[in-house]
Short mmCIF file of all heavy atoms in Angstrom, two decimals:
data_model
loop_
_atom_site.label_atom_id
_atom_site.label_comp_id
_atom_site.label_asym_id
_atom_site.label_seq_id
_atom_site.Cartn_x
_atom_site.Cartn_y
_atom_site.Cartn_z
N LEU A 5 175.21 -9.62 109.29
CA LEU A 5 176.24 -10.51 109.82
C LEU A 5 175.65 -11.54 110.77
O LEU A 5 176.01 -12.73 110.72
CB LEU A 5 177.31 -9.69 110.53
CG LEU A 5 178.48 -10.49 111.14
CD1 LEU A 5 179.20 -11.30 110.06
CD2 LEU A 5 179.45 -9.55 111.86
N SER A 6 174.73 -11.13 111.64
CA SER A 6 174.14 -12.05 112.60
C SER A 6 173.38 -13.17 111.89
O SER A 6 173.47 -14.34 112.28
CB SER A 6 173.20 -11.31 113.56
OG SER A 6 173.92 -10.43 114.38
N LYS A 7 172.63 -12.80 110.85
CA LYS A 7 171.86 -13.81 110.13
C LYS A 7 172.78 -14.78 109.40
O LYS A 7 172.52 -15.99 109.35
CB LYS A 7 170.91 -13.12 109.14
CG LYS A 7 169.99 -14.07 108.42
CD LYS A 7 168.95 -13.33 107.59
CE LYS A 7 167.94 -12.61 108.46
NZ LYS A 7 166.83 -12.03 107.67
N ILE A 8 173.88 -14.28 108.83
CA ILE A 8 174.84 -15.17 108.14
C ILE A 8 175.50 -16.11 109.14
O ILE A 8 175.63 -17.32 108.89
CB ILE A 8 175.89 -14.32 107.40
CG1 ILE A 8 175.23 -13.54 106.26
CG2 ILE A 8 177.01 -15.20 106.86
CD1 ILE A 8 176.15 -12.55 105.57
N LEU A 9 175.92 -15.57 110.30
CA LEU A 9 176.54 -16.42 111.33
C LEU A 9 175.56 -17.46 111.85
O LEU A 9 175.93 -18.61 112.09
CB LEU A 9 177.07 -15.55 112.48
CG LEU A 9 178.27 -14.67 112.15
CD1 LEU A 9 178.61 -13.79 113.35
CD2 LEU A 9 179.48 -15.51 111.75
N ALA A 10 174.29 -17.06 112.02
CA ALA A 10 173.28 -18.01 112.49
C ALA A 10 173.07 -19.12 111.47
O ALA A 10 172.91 -20.30 111.83
CB ALA A 10 171.96 -17.28 112.76
N LEU A 11 173.09 -18.77 110.17
CA LEU A 11 172.93 -19.77 109.13
C LEU A 11 174.11 -20.75 109.14
O LEU A 11 173.93 -21.97 109.03
CB LEU A 11 172.81 -19.09 107.77
CG LEU A 11 172.68 -20.02 106.56
CD1 LEU A 11 171.45 -20.90 106.68
CD2 LEU A 11 172.63 -19.21 105.27
N LEU A 12 175.33 -20.21 109.28
CA LEU A 12 176.51 -21.08 109.33
C LEU A 12 176.45 -21.99 110.56
O LEU A 12 176.80 -23.18 110.50
CB LEU A 12 177.77 -20.23 109.35
CG LEU A 12 178.08 -19.44 108.07
CD1 LEU A 12 179.31 -18.57 108.28
CD2 LEU A 12 178.28 -20.39 106.89
N PHE A 13 176.03 -21.43 111.70
CA PHE A 13 175.89 -22.22 112.92
C PHE A 13 174.87 -23.33 112.70
O PHE A 13 175.07 -24.49 113.11
CB PHE A 13 175.44 -21.30 114.06
CG PHE A 13 175.61 -21.89 115.43
CD1 PHE A 13 175.25 -21.16 116.55
CD2 PHE A 13 176.11 -23.17 115.63
CE1 PHE A 13 175.38 -21.68 117.83
CE2 PHE A 13 176.25 -23.70 116.89
CZ PHE A 13 175.89 -22.96 117.98
N ALA A 14 173.74 -23.00 112.05
CA ALA A 14 172.70 -23.99 111.79
C ALA A 14 173.21 -25.10 110.88
O ALA A 14 172.93 -26.29 111.12
CB ALA A 14 171.49 -23.30 111.16
N LEU A 15 173.95 -24.74 109.85
CA LEU A 15 174.50 -25.76 108.95
C LEU A 15 175.48 -26.67 109.69
O LEU A 15 175.56 -27.87 109.42
CB LEU A 15 175.19 -25.09 107.77
CG LEU A 15 174.25 -24.35 106.80
CD1 LEU A 15 175.05 -23.62 105.73
CD2 LEU A 15 173.27 -25.33 106.15
N THR A 16 176.22 -26.09 110.66
CA THR A 16 177.13 -26.90 111.48
C THR A 16 176.34 -27.91 112.31
O THR A 16 176.73 -29.08 112.43
CB THR A 16 177.96 -25.99 112.41
OG1 THR A 16 178.69 -25.06 111.64
CG2 THR A 16 178.91 -26.82 113.26
N ILE A 17 175.22 -27.47 112.88
CA ILE A 17 174.37 -28.37 113.67
C ILE A 17 173.83 -29.49 112.80
O ILE A 17 173.86 -30.68 113.20
CB ILE A 17 173.21 -27.59 114.31
CG1 ILE A 17 173.74 -26.51 115.26
CG2 ILE A 17 172.27 -28.53 115.05
CD1 ILE A 17 174.57 -27.05 116.40
N HIS A 18 173.36 -29.17 111.61
CA HIS A 18 172.82 -30.20 110.73
C HIS A 18 173.93 -31.15 110.25
O HIS A 18 173.69 -32.35 110.07
CB HIS A 18 172.12 -29.56 109.54
CG HIS A 18 170.85 -28.83 109.92
ND1 HIS A 18 169.88 -29.39 110.71
CD2 HIS A 18 170.43 -27.58 109.63
CE1 HIS A 18 168.89 -28.53 110.88
NE2 HIS A 18 169.20 -27.41 110.23
N THR A 19 175.14 -30.60 110.06
CA THR A 19 176.27 -31.47 109.70
C THR A 19 176.58 -32.43 110.84
O THR A 19 176.87 -33.62 110.60
CB THR A 19 177.51 -30.61 109.38
OG1 THR A 19 177.21 -29.73 108.30
CG2 THR A 19 178.69 -31.50 109.01
N LEU A 20 176.51 -31.94 112.07
CA LEU A 20 176.73 -32.81 113.23
C LEU A 20 175.70 -33.93 113.27
O LEU A 20 176.03 -35.06 113.66
CB LEU A 20 176.66 -31.98 114.51
CG LEU A 20 176.87 -32.73 115.83
CD1 LEU A 20 178.24 -33.43 115.85
CD2 LEU A 20 176.74 -31.78 117.01
N THR A 21 174.47 -33.65 112.87
CA THR A 21 173.44 -34.69 112.80
C THR A 21 173.85 -35.80 111.84
O THR A 21 173.71 -37.00 112.14
CB THR A 21 172.10 -34.07 112.37
OG1 THR A 21 171.71 -33.08 113.31
CG2 THR A 21 171.02 -35.14 112.28
N LEU A 22 174.36 -35.40 110.67
CA LEU A 22 174.83 -36.39 109.70
C LEU A 22 176.01 -37.19 110.24
O LEU A 22 176.11 -38.40 110.02
CB LEU A 22 175.21 -35.70 108.39
CG LEU A 22 174.06 -35.01 107.64
CD1 LEU A 22 174.60 -34.29 106.41
CD2 LEU A 22 173.00 -36.02 107.24
N VAL A 23 176.90 -36.52 110.98
CA VAL A 23 178.05 -37.22 111.57
C VAL A 23 177.57 -38.24 112.59
O VAL A 23 178.08 -39.38 112.64
CB VAL A 23 179.01 -36.20 112.23
CG1 VAL A 23 180.09 -36.91 113.05
CG2 VAL A 23 179.66 -35.32 111.16
N LEU A 24 176.59 -37.87 113.43
CA LEU A 24 176.05 -38.81 114.42
C LEU A 24 175.42 -40.02 113.74
O LEU A 24 175.59 -41.16 114.18
CB LEU A 24 175.02 -38.10 115.29
CG LEU A 24 175.54 -37.04 116.27
CD1 LEU A 24 174.38 -36.30 116.91
CD2 LEU A 24 176.41 -37.70 117.35
N LEU A 25 174.71 -39.76 112.65
CA LEU A 25 174.10 -40.86 111.90
C LEU A 25 175.17 -41.78 111.33
O LEU A 25 175.06 -43.02 111.42
CB LEU A 25 173.23 -40.29 110.78
CG LEU A 25 172.57 -41.29 109.84
CD1 LEU A 25 171.60 -42.19 110.61
CD2 LEU A 25 171.84 -40.57 108.71
N TYR A 26 176.21 -41.19 110.75
CA TYR A 26 177.30 -41.98 110.18
C TYR A 26 178.01 -42.80 111.26
O TYR A 26 178.26 -44.00 111.07
CB TYR A 26 178.30 -41.04 109.50
CG TYR A 26 179.55 -41.72 109.01
CD1 TYR A 26 179.56 -42.46 107.83
CD2 TYR A 26 180.74 -41.62 109.74
CE1 TYR A 26 180.71 -43.09 107.39
CE2 TYR A 26 181.90 -42.25 109.29
CZ TYR A 26 181.88 -42.98 108.13
OH TYR A 26 183.02 -43.60 107.70
N LEU A 27 178.32 -42.18 112.40
CA LEU A 27 179.00 -42.90 113.47
C LEU A 27 178.15 -44.05 113.99
O LEU A 27 178.67 -45.14 114.27
CB LEU A 27 179.35 -41.95 114.61
CG LEU A 27 180.46 -40.93 114.35
CD1 LEU A 27 180.61 -39.98 115.53
CD2 LEU A 27 181.79 -41.65 114.08
N GLY A 28 176.84 -43.81 114.16
CA GLY A 28 175.96 -44.87 114.65
C GLY A 28 175.95 -46.07 113.73
O GLY A 28 176.06 -47.22 114.19
N VAL A 29 175.83 -45.82 112.43
CA VAL A 29 175.80 -46.92 111.46
C VAL A 29 177.15 -47.65 111.43
O VAL A 29 177.21 -48.89 111.45
CB VAL A 29 175.45 -46.38 110.06
CG1 VAL A 29 175.61 -47.49 109.01
CG2 VAL A 29 174.02 -45.85 110.05
N MET A 30 178.26 -46.91 111.41
CA MET A 30 179.59 -47.52 111.34
C MET A 30 179.91 -48.34 112.60
O MET A 30 180.50 -49.42 112.51
CB MET A 30 180.66 -46.44 111.12
CG MET A 30 180.56 -45.75 109.78
SD MET A 30 180.59 -46.91 108.37
CE MET A 30 182.23 -47.64 108.58
N ILE A 31 179.53 -47.84 113.77
CA ILE A 31 179.78 -48.59 115.02
C ILE A 31 178.99 -49.89 115.02
O ILE A 31 179.51 -50.95 115.40
CB ILE A 31 179.44 -47.72 116.24
CG1 ILE A 31 180.46 -46.59 116.38
CG2 ILE A 31 179.41 -48.57 117.52
CD1 ILE A 31 180.12 -45.60 117.49
N LEU A 32 177.72 -49.83 114.59
CA LEU A 32 176.91 -51.04 114.55
C LEU A 32 177.49 -52.06 113.57
O LEU A 32 177.53 -53.27 113.85
CB LEU A 32 175.48 -50.69 114.14
CG LEU A 32 174.60 -50.04 115.22
CD1 LEU A 32 173.25 -49.67 114.63
CD2 LEU A 32 174.42 -51.00 116.39
N ILE A 33 177.97 -51.60 112.42
CA ILE A 33 178.54 -52.52 111.42
C ILE A 33 179.85 -53.12 111.90
O ILE A 33 180.07 -54.33 111.80
CB ILE A 33 178.74 -51.77 110.08
CG1 ILE A 33 177.39 -51.38 109.47
CG2 ILE A 33 179.54 -52.64 109.11
CD1 ILE A 33 177.50 -50.55 108.22
N ARG A 34 180.71 -52.27 112.47
CA ARG A 34 182.05 -52.73 112.83
C ARG A 34 182.07 -53.60 114.09
O ARG A 34 182.83 -54.57 114.18
CB ARG A 34 182.97 -51.53 113.02
CG ARG A 34 184.42 -51.93 113.32
CD ARG A 34 185.34 -50.76 113.21
NE ARG A 34 186.73 -51.13 113.44
CZ ARG A 34 187.75 -50.30 113.36
NH1 ARG A 34 187.52 -49.02 113.04
NH2 ARG A 34 188.99 -50.72 113.56
N TYR A 35 181.24 -53.24 115.09
CA TYR A 35 181.32 -53.93 116.38
C TYR A 35 180.12 -54.85 116.64
O TYR A 35 179.92 -55.29 117.76
CB TYR A 35 181.44 -52.90 117.52
CG TYR A 35 182.72 -52.12 117.45
CD1 TYR A 35 182.73 -50.82 116.92
CD2 TYR A 35 183.92 -52.67 117.88
CE1 TYR A 35 183.90 -50.10 116.84
CE2 TYR A 35 185.10 -51.94 117.81
CZ TYR A 35 185.09 -50.66 117.29
OH TYR A 35 186.27 -49.94 117.22
N TRP A 36 179.32 -55.11 115.64
CA TRP A 36 178.20 -56.04 115.79
C TRP A 36 178.73 -57.46 115.99
O TRP A 36 179.69 -57.86 115.32
CB TRP A 36 177.32 -55.97 114.54
CG TRP A 36 176.09 -56.82 114.64
CD1 TRP A 36 175.96 -58.14 114.30
CD2 TRP A 36 174.83 -56.42 115.15
NE1 TRP A 36 174.70 -58.58 114.53
CE2 TRP A 36 173.97 -57.53 115.06
CE3 TRP A 36 174.33 -55.23 115.66
CZ2 TRP A 36 172.64 -57.51 115.47
CZ3 TRP A 36 173.01 -55.19 116.06
CH2 TRP A 36 172.18 -56.31 115.97
N PRO A 37 178.20 -58.27 116.91
CA PRO A 37 177.06 -57.98 117.79
C PRO A 37 177.48 -57.76 119.24
O PRO A 37 176.82 -58.24 120.15
CB PRO A 37 176.23 -59.25 117.65
CG PRO A 37 177.27 -60.34 117.56
CD PRO A 37 178.49 -59.73 116.92
N THR A 38 178.60 -57.09 119.48
CA THR A 38 179.05 -56.87 120.86
C THR A 38 178.07 -55.93 121.60
O THR A 38 177.39 -55.10 120.99
CB THR A 38 180.45 -56.24 120.89
OG1 THR A 38 180.39 -54.95 120.28
CG2 THR A 38 181.45 -57.12 120.14
#
């Protein structure tokens, strides 16, 4: 159970990385060049 929960936690962290990347690109596109 601990290993499965750790894997799910890790996938959540990596998903957050993708979300940060997406937000950074979208903010630059939408609010450029403010």
Side-chain angles (χ1 to χ4, degrees):
L5 180 59
S6 293
K7 185 173 291 187
I8 294 173
L9 291 176
L11 178 60
L12 293 176
F13 195 180
L15 292 175
T16 302
I17 299 300
H18 292 311
T19 301
L20 180 59
T21 300
L22 296 177
V23 171
L24 290 172
L25 177 63
Y26 173 79
L27 289 175
V29 172
M30 294 305 297
I31 290 174
L32 284 176
I33 293 175
R34 183 168 183 178
Y35 295 101
W36 184 272
T38 63

